[in-house]
Amino acid sequence: MRTDSSPGTLPAREHLPAGNAGTPVLDVVIPVYNEEKDLGPCVLRLHDHLKRTFPYAFRITIADNASTDTTPQVAQRLEAEIAEVKSFRLEQKGRGRALRTVWSASDAPILAYMDVDLSTDLNALLPLVAPLISGHSDLAIGSRLARSSRVVRGAKREFISRTYNLILRGSLQARFSDAQCGFKAIRRDVAQVLLPMVEDTGWFFDTEMLVIAERAGLRIHEVPVDWVDDPNSTVHIVKTATDDLKGVWRVGKALATGSLPLDRIARPFGDDPRDRDIQDVPKGLAQQLVGFCVVGGLSTLFYLVLYSAFRSFSGSQIANALALLVSAVANTAANRRLTFGVRGRGGAVRHQAQGLVVFGIGLALTSGSLAALNAASSDPAHSTELAVLIAANLAATVLRFLLFRAWVFPDRDNAGRPESSPSTVVAAHNPSSQTYPTGGYQAYQQQPYQPQGPLPQRIPLPQQQPYAQGGTTTTQFRAGEAADGTWRDSTMQLQPVRPHDTDPGDPR
């Protein structure tokens, strides 16, 4: 929430006062499949911890995804005995499907999940959700690979985990440290925009969600955790690793081809100081300078190679003109995409035409320098010609950057966008009246996106009525149940993304 509207100050956010809540602030989801032995002790331990240490109202939701043992009966018994516990049954398997279904139906502002084995020490739960409650961050994850984490597990799982995260860093440029730790949280307003874009319904769900969020510029908070491996884990490592690698390939391909509509969730939440007109601070100047220098250095090398090649069969003036023309076209295209962030074909011809005008100015500088050199020496050495051209190109480069920024690409946010096209925004969310498509970003691409309202604000959670701990109780709704009492089972509406998602032999 902005507390000072003056353009010279950065926005501040307020923390939700402790002890004021009506609807549960936190909904902790425990996805389970055939966990009849561990479910009861897990829920009792988690409930006791939250009751003693968590300063807000909470709910624990058991998401049973197609268990074939007595897990559903255990979940129902816990729901009957503990007011803060709710159970939800899905008839299709997949941890990602369970989380997306329950999170999409929950009314809690903060959504979290943890594995039923409680391998992660629960003392990390409050630090996990605190930045989300305060409005500082959009997602939060526990990390077993942080420097200060304390982890007890076998060498095999340690090797697999670190190898997988190295693959993510190398292929998807992920900067978060641990994608697989079963200890994560997300704000509900963020989840409503992000979850429909996540295609996977299994164990890769976490990774895909984090990659999309990070690429869209959302803020991910990491918490070092104390973690003890569960030797009785039922996860099939080989199959899970194979499916994860397939998911990495699919998401990487979508990012490379631009088919992932990141612009629909890019920085929609809160008051971003980068979007404000702060005095005496040009927008994006530092980033543009770095990009322009990199492109300029590569273009200069390309130009010198071309000049040397053309000089072998033509005069210096012709070789300079040809080399500068070819490198100028490539330089304009590279700066358009990389330095000034213009995407798409709109305005590309105009930008190249303006770039040729800038090229003409550079040609005049370099040709004039060569003419002056030839006037001073009838037969200058090739190395002397290159030195003169480098000096002239440096001067032309400074002028080119100024012209690119002020004339060719004057507005990085709107450049390349048709004047009649509205700016991309994200609609405000009304869970009671709005539905969200499932099936990942492919489903999004099948229907045009229409802005429906102002940007949702990533602000502190609203103050609510005191949560009753004694004789009075608050109204609780089962995940998927609306306030009017009607049951909306989103499980039945989910369609499998891939045929094998409903394979009864799936070990997950």
Side-chain angles (χ1 to χ4, degrees), residues 148-460:
S148 57
S149 298
R150 296 182 293 184
V151 177
V152 178
R153 62 175 167 179
K156 179 180 179 181
R157 285 183 176 269
E158 180 78 10
F159 174 78
I160 292 175
S161 180
R162 292 189 177 275
T163 301
Y164 179 65
N165 283 280
L166 285 175
I167 292 174
L168 293 180
R169 288 177 176 270
S171 60
L172 301 179
Q173 286 78 51
R175 290 179 301 220
F176 48 85
S177 64
D178 192 351
Q180 294 177 311
C181 182
F183 196 69
K184 296 181 175 67
I186 185 173
R187 289 178 62 99
R188 186 183 62 177
D189 53 355
V190 178
Q192 289 173 339
V193 181
L194 187 59
L195 294 184
M197 299 179 63
V198 180
E199 181 175 334
D200 191 80
T201 60
W203 292 89
F204 187 70
F205 173 88
D206 303 50
T207 302
E208 186 171 0
M209 178 180 67
L210 291 174
V211 170
I212 295 175
E214 186 176 71
R215 286 300 186 94
L218 301 184
R219 182 175 289 169
I220 301 175
H221 176 73
E222 293 198 19
V223 178
V225 297
D226 297 338
W227 196 86
V228 179
D229 187 22
D230 178 14
N232 298 320
S233 174
T234 59
V235 178
H236 290 213
I237 297 179
V238 175
K239 179 173 176 55
T240 300
T242 302
D243 290 344
D244 286 348
L245 292 177
K246 291 179 180 178
V248 170
W249 170 259
R250 173 175 54 80
V251 174
K253 181 180 178 181
L255 291 172
T257 58
S259 60
L260 194 60
L262 297 176
D263 57 329
R264 291 175 181 167
I265 56 174
R267 283 157 54 180
F269 299 101
D271 185 0
D272 195 322
R274 293 173 295 179
D275 296 330
R276 301 179 62 187
D277 186 16
I278 301 177
Q279 296 176 354
D280 302 325
V281 181
K283 285 183 63 177
L285 179 60
Q287 183 178 356
Q288 289 179 1
L289 279 173
V290 173
F292 187 82
C293 289
V294 173
V295 172
L298 295 176
S299 297
T300 301
L301 293 177
F302 184 48
Y303 162 79
L304 293 175
V305 171
L306 291 176
Y307 177 81
S308 299
F310 293 146
R311 188 70 175 84
S312 62
F313 59 83
S314 64
S316 60
Q317 293 288 1
I318 296 178
N320 174 62
L322 291 175
L324 198 58
L325 176 61
V326 175
S327 61
V329 173
N331 180 276
T332 300
N335 277 308
R336 180 178 186 270
R337 175 68 181 252
L338 303 177
T339 303
F340 297 96
V342 181
R343 302 290 189 269
R345 299 180 180 179
V349 176
R350 175 172 58 86
H351 293 153
Q352 283 292 349
Q354 292 172 312
L356 289 178
V357 174
V358 178
F359 148 76
I361 298 175
L363 177 62
L365 287 175
T366 54
S367 297
S369 300
L370 284 176
L373 177 62
N374 291 328
S377 175
S378 59
D379 188 20
H382 182 64
S383 59
T384 304
E385 287 183 347
L386 292 180
V388 170
L389 289 174
I390 290 175
N393 266 290
L394 288 176
T397 296
V398 175
L399 181 60
R400 188 187 307 118
F401 177 75
L402 296 176
L403 290 175
F404 272 178
R405 181 175 172 84
W407 180 46
V408 183
F409 310 107
D411 185 356
R412 182 176 58 172
D413 293 330
N414 296 322
R417 181 185 298 154
E419 293 181 1
S420 60
S421 175
S423 300
T424 302
V425 298
V426 179
H429 310 297
N430 185 356
S432 63
S433 62
Q434 191 170 357
T435 58
Y436 301 91
T438 59
Y441 47 83
Q442 294 178 354
Y444 260 121
Q445 293 174 324
Q446 296 174 1
Q447 48 187 310
Y449 176 74
Q450 296 293 337
Q452 302 177 12
L455 296 178
Q457 296 295 308
R458 185 179 65 188
I459 59 178

Side-chain angles (χ1 to χ4, degrees), residues 64-66 88-93 97-98 100-102 105 436 438 479-480 487-496 502:
D64 173 30
N65 44 315
F88 189 72
R89 168 77 177 182
L90 293 91
E91 300 301 332
Q92 293 175 295
K93 293 179 59 176
R97 177 181 287 110
R100 182 167 59 190
T101 302
V102 177
Y436 301 91
T438 59
W487 181 262
R488 296 168 183 167
D489 188 354
S490 55
T491 308
M492 296 297 99
Q493 299 173 3
L494 287 176
Q495 298 297 325
T502 57

